[in-house]
């Protein structure tokens, strides 16, 4: 009886093994990449789709690992738990100093083969290339350059209120009054820590300038963090509430953008991923909507470089898919199509910009100009300036101060100096 039973069982097992192996081989050939990102708004999703389609065009499988939440805080939390359970995705949107933190954990794989073949060192600006390397090896590939210090505006609302696009903070507050009187929200905002921090760093840039910004938010100089200029920046930042509406608490950034698009609000201070929303709505820069450097910051550029870091993988096919992904990201086809949808400018300076609108042209000019004048600074709010723990501590202070009725700018500045000590 036993003898009769075993052969079919064995056959079944062998068959199972054969099927599993065949499937395994099929998957290996297809080379799957699972990519974690937080590009879920209308404009962002269109941009992410460019990469998905290019990967699929090369025969690879794209596993979308999108975690909603502007600024990526939730995505980073999810990534940490996946990594801790020993199962990270193949690639993830990891930026700035955080690339080093993941590199130090020994979790990132290197992209040196593709970087060498494609001559990334010669192709990328040094400031960009350096950020992508850990211990001298490429572990990430840059997708774009976002400018954070932008003002977006609806020209019809400005006209209805009889005001021009403000170029200084004084003009902004004055225009705000007129816009409010005309029945509109002057400044669309979403009350989330990263959005508060986006407005805060932009105001600080306006009131104190790029050198001070660098001392305070990049070098974490305690004298700058606790000093007069910081106190003034905080006080001005708090005044921005005058321009915002009661419904801002918890609002997503793209909902705030849609208030400008729909004509409920006049303006928004936000990085140029906001342009992706205007573009997705079929609107034209300079006609249907306006872009300008955030008031008082025309001589500065807060940069935010999106990048995809690759996790160390063992399967050859997955590794190959990672290398393909990295290669595609820096090819002109992707750089152009993705950045047209995303609102950013290409990470490669040699891309033909003729298809890009006036906001992108201005961004590129200002990037190059501020790199020479010292006005080019990394965005603290977008993870370019300081490590994640310090950034988190600054976010807490900024948001608490913005929402508290009883915290003075002096108190908040004092707390800033202790936040920086997390870093020491
Ligand atoms: C930034 C990110 C952008 C955009 C934005 C809103 O931090 O660099 O690509 O996604 O958040 O989520």
């Amino acid at each position: 009886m036993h003898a009769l039973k075993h052969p079919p069982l064995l056959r079944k097992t062998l068959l199972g093994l054969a099927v599993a192996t065949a499937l395994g081989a099929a998957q290996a050939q297809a080379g799957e990449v699972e990519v974690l990102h937080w590009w879920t708004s209308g404009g962002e999703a269109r941009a992410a789709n460019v990469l998905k389609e290019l990967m699929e065009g090369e025969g690879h499988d794209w596993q979308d690992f999108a975690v909603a939440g502007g600024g990526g805080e939730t995505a980073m939390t999810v990534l940490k738990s996946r990594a801790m359970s020993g199962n990270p995705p193949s690639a993830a949107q990891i930026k700035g100093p955080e690339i080093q933190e993941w590199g130090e954990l020994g979790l990132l794989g290197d992209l040196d083969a593709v970087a060498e073949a494609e001559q990334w060192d010669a192709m990328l600006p040094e400031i960009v290339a350096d950020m992508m390397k850990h211990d001298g090896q490429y572990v990430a590939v840059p997708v774009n350059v976002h400018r954070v210090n932008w003002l977006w505006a609806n020209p019809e609302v400005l006209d209805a209120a009889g005001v021009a696009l403000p170029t200084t903070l004084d003009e902004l507050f004055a225009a705000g009054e007129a816009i409010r009187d005309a029945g509109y929200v002057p400044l669309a905002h979403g009350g989330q820590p990263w959005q508060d921090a986006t407005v805060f760093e932009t105001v600080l840039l306006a009131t104190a300038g790029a050198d001070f910004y660098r001392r305070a938010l990049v070098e974490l100089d305690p004298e700058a963090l606790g000093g007069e200029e910081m106190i003034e920046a905080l006080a001005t930042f708090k005044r921005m509430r005058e321009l915002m509406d009661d419904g801002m608490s918890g609002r997503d950034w793209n909902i705030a953008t849609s208030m400008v698009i729909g004509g409920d609000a006049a303006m928004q201070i936000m990085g140029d991923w906001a342009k992706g929303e205007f573009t997705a709505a079929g609107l034209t820069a300079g006609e249907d909507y306006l872009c300008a450097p955030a008031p008082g910051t025309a001589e500065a550029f807060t940069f935010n470089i999106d990048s995809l870091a690759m996790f160390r993988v063992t399967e050859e096919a997955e590794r190959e898919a990672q290398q393909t992904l990295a290669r595609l990201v820096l090819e002109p086809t992707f750089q152009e199509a993705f950045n047209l949808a995303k609102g950013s400018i290409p990470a490669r300076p040699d891309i033909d910009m003729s298809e890009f609108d006036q906001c992108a042209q201005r961004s590129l000019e200002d990037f190059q100009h501020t790199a020479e004048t010292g006005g080019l600074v990394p965005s603290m709010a977008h993870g370019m300036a300081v490590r994640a723990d310090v950034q988190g501590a600054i976010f807490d202070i900024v948001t608490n101060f913005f929402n508290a009725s009883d915290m003075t700018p002096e108190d908040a500045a004092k707390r800033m100096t202790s936040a920086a000590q997390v870093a020491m």
Side-chain angles (χ1 to χ4, degrees):
M1 257 179 83
H2 288 277
L4 277 177
K5 251 187 178 173
H6 273 143
L9 188 66
L10 192 62
R11 262 208 305 276
K12 222 171 153 188
T13 316
L14 285 176
L15 188 70
L17 267 178
V19 170
T21 313
L23 276 178
Q27 267 162 14
Q29 260 166 17
E32 182 182 288
V33 279
E34 189 185 16
V35 184
L36 175 125
H37 60 89
W38 59 91
W39 296 324
T40 56
S41 77
E44 289 173 326
R46 283 178 75 226
N49 204 42
V50 171
L51 191 52
K52 174 180 188 272
E53 281 179 359
L54 286 173
M55 278 302 277
E56 288 174 350
E58 298 246 348
H60 295 295
D61 282 338
W62 172 277
Q63 276 280 346
D64 202 44
F65 186 4
V67 180
E73 217 179 315
T74 317
M76 284 300 110
T77 308
V78 172
L79 178 62
K80 275 172 203 151
S81 68
R82 276 281 301 265
M84 262 176 354
S85 63
N87 180 30
S90 2
Q93 141 98 321
I94 300 176
K95 311 185 295 178
E98 265 202 283
I99 296 174
Q100 304 309 318
E101 296 180 38
W102 287 96
E104 278 155 28
L105 293 173
L107 291 175
L108 301 183
D110 82 84
L111 292 170
D112 278 355
V114 59
E116 218 165 280
E118 304 288 316
Q119 301 190 315
W120 288 4
D121 272 338
M123 175 203 294
L124 295 173
E126 212 176 315
I127 184 173
V128 180
D130 286 350
M131 246 186 216
M132 303 301 132
K133 292 179 185 172
H134 174 70
D135 250 356
Q137 289 189 315
Y138 278 101
V139 291
V141 58
V143 167
N144 60 7
V145 178
H146 272 302
R147 182 185 201 171
V148 179
N149 59 318
W150 277 118
L151 181 71
W152 307 95
N154 181 320
E156 284 175 18
V157 177
L158 294 182
D159 282 352
V163 296
L165 199 62
T167 60
T168 63
L169 284 174
D170 285 343
E171 285 177 17
L172 175 69
F173 287 118
E177 251 174 66
I179 293 164
R180 176 86 70 200
D181 289 346
Y184 305 93
V185 176
L187 198 64
H189 181 66
Q192 295 174 346
W194 74 271
Q195 291 186 65
D196 295 343
T198 298
V199 174
F200 165 70
E201 72 175 21
T202 308
V203 168
L204 179 120
L205 202 54
T207 61
D211 287 343
F212 181 83
Y213 177 104
R214 201 175 287 110
R215 270 180 65 207
L217 298 183
V218 184
E219 293 157 12
L220 301 173
D221 172 353
E223 261 173 53
L225 285 166
E228 275 310 310
E229 282 148 304
M230 177 59 76
I231 293 169
E232 192 202 329
L234 283 160
T236 311
F237 166 57
K238 186 96 175 210
R239 264 194 78 197
M240 301 291 278
R241 290 185 76 93
E242 290 170 19
L243 306 169
M244 299 169 179
D245 71 315
D246 292 340
M248 69 180 175
S249 172
R251 178 189 288 142
D252 286 329
W253 67 271
N254 53 317
I255 304 296
T257 310
S258 72
M259 290 167 66
V260 180
I261 292 176
D264 298 319
M267 298 170 282
Q268 181 184 19
I269 290 176
M270 185 49 67
D272 41 23
W273 45 94
K275 201 183 76 184
E277 298 308 291
F278 290 101
T279 308
L283 304 179
T284 305
E287 291 171 23
D288 308 314
Y289 68 97
L290 309 174
C291 65
T297 71
E299 285 302 315
F301 188 118
T302 23
F303 69 84
N304 171 22
I305 300 169
D306 286 323
S307 49
L308 293 171
M310 307 294 160
F311 281 86
R312 194 185 288 282
V313 291
T314 44
E315 256 187 57
E316 191 43 39
E318 200 180 349
R319 225 182 108 72
E320 256 170 49
Q322 286 180 326
Q323 305 276 324
T324 305
L325 181 76
R327 173 175 55 76
L328 287 173
V329 162
L330 276 176
E331 276 178 4
T333 314
F334 171 82
Q335 285 289 316
E336 186 178 8
F338 179 90
N339 288 305
L340 281 171
K342 189 73 164 67
S344 35
I345 55 172
R348 282 174 65 161
D350 61 343
I351 301 292
D352 174 12
M353 291 292 288
S354 54
E355 290 299 313
F356 285 80
D357 63 25
Q358 52 179 247
C359 308
Q361 308 276 357
R362 170 98 199 240
S363 186
L364 180 61
E365 266 165 40
D366 288 357
F367 181 79
Q368 287 164 346
H369 170 70
T370 55
E372 279 158 25
T373 60
L376 183 64
V377 289
S379 167
M380 181 280 297
H382 294 279
M384 292 288 117
V386 289
R387 299 176 69 113
D389 49 357
V390 181
Q391 185 204 34
I394 297 178
F395 275 23
D396 283 351
I397 298 161
V398 166
T399 285
N400 287 338
F401 169 69
F402 200 50
N403 292 301
S405 52
D406 57 353
M407 201 193 298
T408 64
E410 287 80 3
D411 286 342
K414 223 176 267 157
R415 290 185 198 194
M416 286 280 190
T417 52
S418 17
Q421 291 183 350
V422 183
M424 309 289 159

